[in-house]
Amino acid sequence: MKKFNIRKVLDGLTAASSSSSSAAASPQSGNRENDMIQETLQSEHFQLCKTVRHGFPNQPSSMAFDPVQKILAIGTQSGALRLFGQAGVECYCRHESGSAVIQLEFLVNEVSSLLVFGRITFCHLPFQSKWLYVGTERGNIHIVNVESFTLSGYVIMWNKAIELSSKSHPGPVVHISDNPMDEGKLLIGFECGIVVLWDLKSKKADYRYNYDEAIHSVAWHHEGKQFVCSHSDGTLTTWNIRAPAKPAQIITPHGKQPKDGKKPEPCKPILKVEYKTTRAGDPFMILCGGLSYDTVGRRACLTVMHGKSTAVLEMDYPIVDFLTLCETPYPNDFQEPYAVVVLLEKDLVVIDLAQIGYPIFENPYPLSIHESPVTCCEYFADCPAEVIPALYSVGSRQNRQGFSKKEWPISGGNWGQGTLSFSEMIITGHADGSIKFWDASALMLQVLYKLKTAKVFEKPRGKEEKSSTEIVDEDPFAIQILSWCPESRVLCVAGVSALVIVYRFSKQEVTTEVVQLLEVRMQCELNEVESPECGGEQASTVSTPGTSSSPQTSLPQSHPSTSSNNSSDGLRDNVPCLKVRSSPLKQSAGYQVELLIQLVWVSGEPPQPITSLAVNSAYGLVAFGNGNGLAVVDYLQKTLLLNVSTAELYGSTDPHHRQPHSPRKTRQPSAGLCDGNDASAAPEERCKSPTSGSGSPCNSDEDSKQKFIDKVMSKSKRISKTVASDFAKISRKINMIADHKDDARDNSFSRSRSSSVTSIDRESREVISSFYFCDWLSKKSETVAVPSLWVGTSLGSMLAIALTVPSTPEQRMQQPVGVSFCGPVVRLKGGILRMAQLDASGTLLPHVYESWYEPNAPEEERERPRRRRPTSPPSSQENPDCQYAVVCSEKQAKVVALPSQNCVYEHNITETSFVLRADVVTLTAGVGIACFCANGHIMTLSLPSLRPLLDVNYLPLTDMRIARTFCFSNQGQALYLTSPTEIQRITYSQETCDNLQEMLGELFTPVETPEAPNRGFFKGLFGGGAQSLDREDLFGEVAAGKASRSLAQHIPGPGGMEGMKGAASGVVGELARARIALDERGQKLGELEERTAGMMASADSFSKHAHDIMLKYKDKKWYQL
């Protein structure tokens, strides 16, 4: 426990201000209570590290399966490797080269797996062998020892393999495998259609098999007498190994068979085939591709041929690879296939081969994050324990039927031993208007419930029926902002089509005849305050600060039709962007629509997109804002309380000069924040975001900011065009919420304009950037905290609106909520991102809420809980301040004492960059602020003194997706969308980092390798069965010599193989393996001891007999012998 005093804080602020042009505000000298605030949060409580990655591997390229450990590995085009065991057991690693993983091979029942990159075209690692066969683009085959990663001198050259069978180069190696019954015979497939059976001992080809079409894959029959090839014309050829002249059988699975006996029409290439046998029935032949060319537009298919039946299974996405899971790892035994793992471009499907109809297994992994692109994300740690079971209860009814009844076959690994004491939830909003709730507790991820917001609207059947009032070209139902109250389970969402939907959670199913609709007309006339009569549903009057206003409320629409579609001059007016469905809406148990709010067109100008959103269940209010202003809606009474421009919030204290608004006639862009009119300048102490547009030419900070943009844009060009367009979007966004310079001497506010005003300059209007509902003391004379709404703007102003909420539930439904403006509270550099409230002891005050109750229960049975308010300690005469407002912007953080509104602490977070996300978070040791900057730094500050506790350069902003989805949560947790399909979770808590290894699952577990198949008495007697090969004698340095040094280069990894094993396995696995090793060593020592004892007994017997013979012939002469 450390006590902070004002003198030390002043010394720190003075030292910090020496490197900054603007000095930090000093604490108030008269506020003695600050001296006694004790902070428990220290720098040793923080450490940053990645925890786990969820979702489908982005851009998968290859796959492998360990049949003993039951572990699946997926490689990607970016060099990443994802390992999957049972549900909740996952592992992620990435090769530093970033090259695509073209093939994966498991060292079966070991910790290791092989990743194949570069010019290698095919690899084969025989079961229980350490020698890897490597095929290259040049058609040669090299052999590598995977234990030492040394290259053998044994090489199979392409010209020696094919000899005179072809006059040209056969192309790259596309297949390598050894004969299941004879390890000394190697089958080599070349792309041109030549297959060679190579004798490893004699170093020559036994047979060569020629076919006119290119080969894509080869598969053995387990007896080693036949193999099957798939070709580029859609045919399958079956060959007997001792009959190379022609195939034993040629079939075209999807080709039309002509009646005149001619050759079938060519089909698409069969990219892969697998041939698996069973003891009791016909073999399975599984293949992908091979469809006829007349099936244009048909989805990718997997074909399963079993006996006389052929099943064609359509997939939702193109097939990347597939594997057949079998009962035995030995290739010379009946395979007994039971499932097929199909890796698609955006999904993973496992098919049950043992059941009729080939149903799929229900996937336990959270691989559906990208089912529709993620547009926003929120993370809630330490949420109420009853929320997750409630969501799971209603979500379980949404599960699809028809899955296989068997257990998920990928079942390797063990769950972690450690757990977290708090529950976690993730909510994702998607482009199709869906919202998913995920249980993220204990480093796992499981979908709980899915909500489809698009059900509220009429869907056009085609592009020709698309409404002319829509303001986005694609994904009009996309979710933009989420606001959720976990205690009351009230959910509020904002969509890109300028709409807000309020949802209530219910366990009962209802049918809504008419969706409650409220249309809001938001327009911005900066120099005028529109009268109530002219504004339609706009709020009536704007009161001066401190006085009460009685805004005109608007009754909700009883049907989705609007009163007027076009104004007198033919422009679209008073029409929403989307049409609400007119038919009854059946709402299942879960989240049900309480109120739909839509912004309407104004005189031909589309509504501005919503930039901020907040809902409060205790007050029954929802607030939302954009570039035109803000609106407050009573979702209980379904009325509009307030609809004002940003300028009206200031009243007479407006620090900005505002220009008249000229309406735009153009269509609004589909993404980001839309264009606005020119706004005024801000005070000089303010600083633009680094990605904002050009300002004054003499501003040196602007040069560094422009360099920052150029640097980021140059990097983005190397990544992809999509990333470049994302940076254009974030540049427009930051420009719209940017601040401008002012002259602090005469307090005049002006802006230097160029002769040609760009569109970026026009986006600098003041935008509502954040909200915060709380109970606060607005005046020194007040003794009881009153409800209020804090408003943050993009120009750094924090303003307050006092609310008068009726106290009893009966009065709340009958009397309107009163509203009065309190004016600005504090100003910061950069747009306001986050606001919070502390009590006099520096403890974070929780938000006010109303506990959940069943909204569809009868009124007499409804037990409505009372509204909960955080308590504030009473003020004293020495220190009237008993609350603190915490405000964080893109540049600064300030702590303001209330009700005196004195700034007691201030910290400049960044000068050269800007904050993308900031949250006031609670950890076990205390409360702080967590920030993520555009330059990649993650920082934490203590509260209330704003001491820097952590500053790590973690993740540079290389993608707009990161900026859109990065979010912090309580207990030191955070996450972001690292790719379109994956969520990366991180922690900045030292406590979580210390317990991370115990919480992560154990991927490798000690499992005994199954026994080899029994050869039988007669096969063993007459030499039948599988024949082994001593590869060490054949490929070792003694027999094969050394390989050329210029052929390959050995680049050792960190720690080598032993280091990789140690990193991949935990303490439990190591101990178990050590125990097995000790048991094996003890057994061997026991056998050695028995043999030693036997040898000693034999030596004693020999010595005794020798002694007896010596005595017998000791005294005899030679002629007596």
Side-chain angles (χ1 to χ4, degrees):
M1 300 276 286
K2 185 177 181 181
K3 296 184 179 180
F4 294 93
N5 55 51
I6 295 299
R7 181 173 298 177
K8 291 184 178 180
V9 173
L10 283 174
D11 293 340
L13 292 175
T14 304
S17 65
S18 61
S19 60
S20 175
S21 58
S22 59
S26 60
Q28 300 295 317
S29 59
N31 192 352
R32 297 290 184 182
E33 181 140 349
N34 295 329
D35 298 348
M36 301 305 296
I37 294 181
Q38 297 178 342
E39 293 186 358
T40 56
L41 208 58
Q42 304 297 330
S43 59
E44 54 265 22
H45 293 131
F46 295 95
Q47 182 182 348
L48 190 67
C49 68
K50 295 180 180 180
T51 55
V52 67
R53 179 172 296 204
H54 300 296
F56 182 78
N58 188 39
Q59 297 180 333
S61 57
S62 57
M63 179 173 57
F65 182 72
D66 188 328
V68 178
Q69 288 288 325
K70 306 291 185 183
I71 296 173
L72 181 72
I74 298 178
T76 70
Q77 296 181 17
S78 61
L81 177 67
R82 292 282 298 276
L83 298 168
F84 296 90
Q86 61 176 304
V89 179
E90 298 180 23
C91 179
Y92 168 83
C93 58
R94 185 176 181 271
H95 195 270
E96 57 185 9
S97 68
S99 302
V101 181
I102 61 175
Q103 189 179 345
L104 281 169
E105 288 284 338
F106 263 109
L107 277 69
V108 177
N109 204 20
E110 295 189 29
V111 177
S112 310
S113 61
L114 290 171
L115 286 72
V116 180
F117 306 93
R119 297 183 178 180
I120 297 173
T121 56
F122 196 88
C123 285
H124 171 62
L125 181 66
F127 179 54
Q128 294 181 325
S129 171
K130 66 178 181 179
W131 294 98
L132 175 72
Y133 301 104
V134 179
T136 65
E137 289 180 343
R138 297 183 179 181
N140 302 326
I141 296 177
H142 303 272
I143 297 151
V144 179
N145 187 319
V146 296
E147 291 184 352
S148 60
F149 265 82
T150 56
L151 200 62
S152 171
Y154 193 112
V155 181
I156 304 174
M157 306 300 291
W158 67 269
N159 53 356
K160 191 173 182 181
I162 67 170
E163 285 189 351
L164 300 178
S165 61
S166 175
K167 296 181 180 180
S168 59
H169 192 280
V173 177
V174 297
H175 178 81
I176 307 172
S177 62
D178 49 355
N179 189 314
M181 302 301 291
D182 189 354
E183 295 177 351
K185 308 293 184 180
L186 196 66
L187 195 68
I188 306 168
F190 295 94
E191 188 181 53
C192 68
I194 299 177
V195 180
V196 177
L197 186 63
W198 182 265
D199 190 319
L200 292 170
K201 294 181 179 179
S202 62
K203 299 183 180 181
K204 64 179 183 178
D206 286 349
Y207 301 101
R208 296 179 180 89
Y209 315 86
N210 289 279
Y211 194 70
D212 295 336
E213 298 294 334
I215 292 177
H216 286 275
S217 68
V218 182
W220 278 102
H221 188 280
H222 83 277
E223 292 180 349
K225 298 178 181 179
Q226 285 185 336
F227 61 89
V228 178
C229 301
S230 68
H231 299 276
S232 58
D233 62 344
T235 59
L236 294 174
T237 57
T238 303
W239 299 81
N240 294 324
I241 61 172
R242 299 186 182 274
K246 64 176 183 179
Q249 185 183 29
I250 303 176
I251 60 172
T252 307
H254 297 286
K256 296 180 180 179
Q257 300 293 335
K259 296 181 180 180
D260 53 3
K262 294 183 179 179
K263 187 178 180 180
E265 296 181 0
C267 297
K268 297 178 183 178
I270 297 178
L271 302 178
K272 185 176 181 180
V273 63
E274 290 201 350
Y275 193 14
K276 304 298 180 182
T277 57
T278 60
R279 294 182 186 275
D282 296 319
F284 282 87
M285 197 171 290
I286 305 167
L287 54 102
C288 68
L291 298 178
S292 60
Y293 282 100
D294 58 2
T295 57
V296 180
R298 188 173 181 180
R299 294 184 293 181
C301 296
L302 185 79
T303 304
V304 180
M305 302 172 64
H306 184 217
K308 296 182 179 180
S309 66
T310 300
V312 181
L313 310 177
E314 287 193 352
M315 302 294 163
D316 293 333
Y317 305 100
I319 297 175
V320 177
D321 195 4
F322 74 89
L323 293 171
T324 306
L325 307 187
C326 303
E327 296 289 350
T328 176
Y330 293 95
N332 58 357
D333 194 10
F334 286 98
Q335 302 300 292
E336 302 294 345
Y338 59 90
V340 179
V341 182
V342 187
L343 177 63
L344 309 178
E345 284 188 356
K346 295 184 178 181
D347 200 1
L348 181 70
V349 177
V350 181
I351 301 168
D352 187 355
L353 293 177
Q355 294 190 27
I356 300 175
Y358 304 128
I360 65 173
F361 289 87
E362 186 174 8
N363 200 323
Y365 307 136
L367 303 182
S368 61
I369 294 173
H370 64 287
E371 186 177 12
S372 176
V374 177
T375 54
C376 62
C377 185
E378 293 295 334
Y379 191 10
F380 299 88
D382 205 9
C383 56
E386 66 274 6
V387 174
I388 292 178
L391 289 169
Y392 179 80
S393 175
V394 297
S396 60
R397 308 174 193 176
Q398 299 176 331
N399 293 340
R400 294 186 302 161
Q401 303 297 324
F403 290 110
S404 172
K405 297 180 180 179
K406 293 185 177 180
E407 294 291 332
W408 180 252
I410 305 169
S411 56
N414 291 323
W415 288 346
Q417 302 295 322
T419 58
L420 295 174
S421 59
F422 51 88
S423 56
E424 301 169 85
M425 278 192 60
I426 298 173
I427 306 179
T428 54
H430 299 265
D432 63 351
S434 62
I435 300 171
K436 291 182 179 179
F437 294 79
W438 306 82
D439 179 9
S441 305
L443 297 182
M444 298 178 66
L445 194 67
Q446 179 185 6
V447 65
L448 294 173
Y449 173 73
K450 180 179 179 181
L451 171 66
K452 297 181 179 179
T453 63
K455 289 183 177 180
V456 181
F457 305 99
E458 296 283 356
K459 291 186 178 180
R461 298 180 180 178
K463 293 184 178 180
E464 63 277 359
E465 296 186 14
K466 189 174 181 179
S467 174
S468 60
T469 59
E470 291 187 12
I471 60 175
V472 291
D473 297 327
E474 296 180 358
D475 301 324
F477 309 112
I479 306 300
Q480 194 169 15
I481 309 175
L482 291 165
S483 179
W484 184 55
C485 177
E487 292 80 9
S488 63
R489 306 179 195 175
V490 174
L491 174 67
C492 192
V493 299
V496 295
S497 297
L499 59 92
V500 175
I501 310 178
V502 182
Y503 287 92
R504 302 283 289 272
F505 184 85
S506 175
K507 296 181 179 179
Q508 301 178 10
E509 181 179 307
V510 296
T511 300
T512 304
E513 296 295 333
V514 178
V515 175
Q516 294 290 328
L517 172 63
L518 186 64
E519 294 180 352
V520 179
R521 182 184 177 92
M522 295 184 72
Q523 64 185 94
C524 185
E525 300 294 341
L526 296 181
N527 284 352
E528 301 175 3
V529 177
E530 195 170 3
S531 62
E533 292 77 17
C534 301
E537 295 181 3
Q538 192 164 342
S540 58
T541 59
V542 178
S543 62
T544 58
T547 63
S548 174
S549 67
S550 302
Q552 175 181 338
T553 59
S554 172
L555 295 176
Q557 299 282 342
S558 59
H559 52 81
S561 62
T562 54
S563 58
S564 174
N565 290 336
N566 296 284
S567 60
S568 57
D569 56 358
L571 299 176
R572 289 186 288 269
D573 191 55
N574 278 344
V575 290
C577 301
L578 298 177
K579 184 179 180 182
V580 182
R581 66 181 295 166
S582 55
S583 58
L585 176 62
K586 183 179 179 180
Q587 303 191 80
S588 303
Y591 275 100
Q592 300 169 355
V593 179
E594 178 78 8
L595 177 64
L596 169 62
I597 307 166
Q598 286 189 291
L599 304 187
V600 297
W601 287 65
V602 178
S603 301
E605 184 177 359
Q608 298 245 342
I610 295 170
T611 58
S612 56
L613 177 70
V615 65
N616 186 273
S617 59
Y619 307 150
L621 303 178
V622 58
F624 57 91
N626 57 15
N628 285 336
L630 68 91
V632 180
V633 172
D634 184 344
Y635 67 80
L636 296 178
Q637 297 186 17
K638 314 295 189 297
T639 57
L640 179 65
L641 294 179
L642 190 64
N643 183 6
V644 295
S645 66
T646 311
E648 293 173 294
L649 291 174
Y650 291 97
S652 59
T653 61
D654 189 359
H656 308 291
H657 290 304
R658 303 179 187 271
Q659 301 297 326
H661 168 70
S662 57
R664 293 182 295 109
K665 301 295 188 286
T666 57
R667 190 174 177 88
Q668 185 171 316
S670 62
L673 301 174
C674 66
D675 296 338
N677 67 307
D678 294 327
S680 62
E684 185 179 59
E685 66 178 7
R686 304 175 52 74
C687 179
K688 274 191 176 182
S689 299
T691 55
S692 59
S694 60
S696 174
C698 62
N699 186 3
S700 60
D701 290 339
E702 295 301 323
D703 297 334
S704 62
K705 296 164 192 170
Q706 189 60 38
K707 290 179 181 178
F708 177 84
I709 284 189
D710 295 339
K711 182 179 179 181
V712 172
M713 289 296 291
S714 64
K715 288 184 178 180
S716 68
K717 291 178 182 178
R718 295 198 300 266
I719 301 172
S720 66
K721 294 181 180 179
T722 305
V723 177
S725 64
D726 287 340
F727 271 101
K729 294 176 185 177
I730 195 172
S731 179
R732 289 197 298 270
K733 173 184 175 182
I734 301 303
N735 273 302
M736 187 177 50
I737 63 173
D739 340 287
H740 302 279
K741 299 286 183 179
D742 79 324
D743 188 357
R745 296 178 181 175
D746 55 4
N747 202 23
S748 63
F749 306 94
S750 62
R751 180 184 179 190
S752 61
R753 295 175 177 268
S754 61
S755 57
S756 60
V757 181
T758 64
S759 61
I760 291 182
D761 292 327
R762 290 197 299 268
E763 289 180 343
S764 58
R765 79 164 39 156
E766 187 171 19
V767 177
I768 304 298
S769 58
S770 59
F771 290 110
Y772 184 70
F773 285 99
C774 65
D775 291 351
W776 80 315
L777 299 171
S778 60
K779 299 178 182 179
K780 295 181 180 180
S781 59
E782 292 179 346
T783 57
V784 179
V786 297
S788 65
L789 172 64
W790 293 352
V791 182
T793 73
S794 61
L795 296 185
S797 296
M798 171 192 164
L799 306 102
I801 300 175
L803 306 171
T804 304
V805 182
S807 57
T808 64
E810 294 76 15
Q811 294 176 346
R812 178 65 185 85
M813 298 303 298
Q814 297 174 0
Q815 300 177 7
V817 177
V819 180
S820 62
F821 298 163
C822 302
V825 177
V826 67
R827 296 195 63 206
L828 287 79
K829 297 178 182 178
I832 304 296
L833 299 177
R834 194 67 58 194
M835 295 172 285
Q837 194 179 28
L838 306 178
D839 62 13
S841 62
T843 304
L844 180 67
L845 288 174
H847 65 279
V848 290
Y849 63 86
E850 187 178 61
S851 299
W852 177 81
Y853 62 92
E854 176 56 60
N856 294 325
E859 195 68 32
E860 59 274 6
E861 299 179 6
R862 185 181 302 174
E863 295 182 3
R864 191 161 181 179
R866 299 181 61 184
R867 180 163 63 97
R868 182 190 181 283
R869 291 172 179 250
T871 58
S872 299
S875 60
S876 62
Q877 293 182 354
E878 296 180 359
N879 179 33
D881 295 327
C882 58
Q883 288 182 341
Y884 296 96
V886 180
V887 189
C888 186
S889 73
E890 295 175 323
K891 295 285 186 179
Q892 284 183 315
K894 288 186 179 182
V895 176
V896 180
L898 299 175
S900 66
Q901 299 186 9
N902 295 325
C903 180
V904 292
Y905 294 105
E906 177 180 345
H907 177 73
N908 292 326
I909 299 174
T910 178
E911 295 291 344
T912 59
S913 184
F914 63 101
V915 179
L916 286 169
R917 177 77 184 219
D919 288 284
V920 178
V921 294
T922 301
L923 289 86
T924 306
V927 182
I929 300 177
C931 305
F932 172 57
C933 295
N935 59 8
H937 284 251
I938 292 179
M939 296 176 283
T940 59
L941 307 173
S942 68
L943 284 176
S945 66
L946 300 178
R947 289 180 301 112
L949 300 176
L950 176 72
D951 188 352
V952 178
N953 187 3
Y954 170 70
L955 180 72
L957 179 62
T958 56
D959 201 325
M960 179 63 183
R961 184 187 308 107
I962 299 173
R964 188 177 63 243
T965 59
F966 198 103
C967 50
F968 294 99
S969 187
N970 292 330
Q971 305 300 331
Q973 308 301 314
L975 63 82
Y976 59 93
L977 211 67
T978 185
S979 73
T981 62
E982 295 169 291
I983 287 178
Q984 178 66 58
R985 292 170 66 178
I986 62 176
T987 181
Y988 51 96
S989 166
Q990 179 67 56
E991 181 182 2
T992 305
C993 290
D994 293 340
N995 300 326
L996 184 60
Q997 291 302 322
E998 295 182 5
M999 291 185 290
L1000 292 175
E1002 188 73 18
L1003 194 62
F1004 179 87
T1005 56
V1007 179
E1008 291 187 4
T1009 303
E1011 294 183 1
N1014 189 2
R1015 294 193 301 171
F1017 174 76
F1018 290 103
K1019 286 185 178 181
L1021 183 63
F1022 297 105
Q1027 299 182 21
S1028 61
L1029 174 70
D1030 191 347
R1031 296 185 178 92
E1032 184 67 32
D1033 290 343
L1034 194 60
F1035 304 141
E1037 185 176 335
V1038 176
K1042 292 185 178 181
S1044 173
R1045 293 185 178 181
S1046 61
L1047 190 62
Q1049 181 183 2
H1050 181 205
I1051 304 175
M1057 183 66 71
E1058 294 301 325
M1060 185 171 63
K1061 289 183 179 180
S1065 58
V1067 177
V1068 178
E1070 291 290 349
L1071 289 175
R1073 280 190 294 276
R1075 191 181 306 113
I1076 292 177
L1078 287 174
D1079 291 341
E1080 293 177 353
R1081 185 181 180 187
Q1083 184 177 358
K1084 292 179 179 179
L1085 287 175
E1087 295 174 356
L1088 180 62
E1089 185 178 357
E1090 290 177 359
R1091 285 187 296 215
T1092 304
M1095 292 176 65
M1096 291 180 64
S1098 299
D1100 291 341
S1101 176
F1102 178 79
S1103 175
K1104 182 178 179 181
H1105 283 84
H1107 184 70
D1108 292 341
I1109 292 174
M1110 181 197 69
L1111 294 177
K1112 181 177 179 181
Y1113 297 102
K1114 179 179 179 181
D1115 298 328
K1116 291 185 178 182
K1117 303 297 182 180
W1118 63 270
Y1119 53 84
Q1120 294 177 333
L1121 296 177

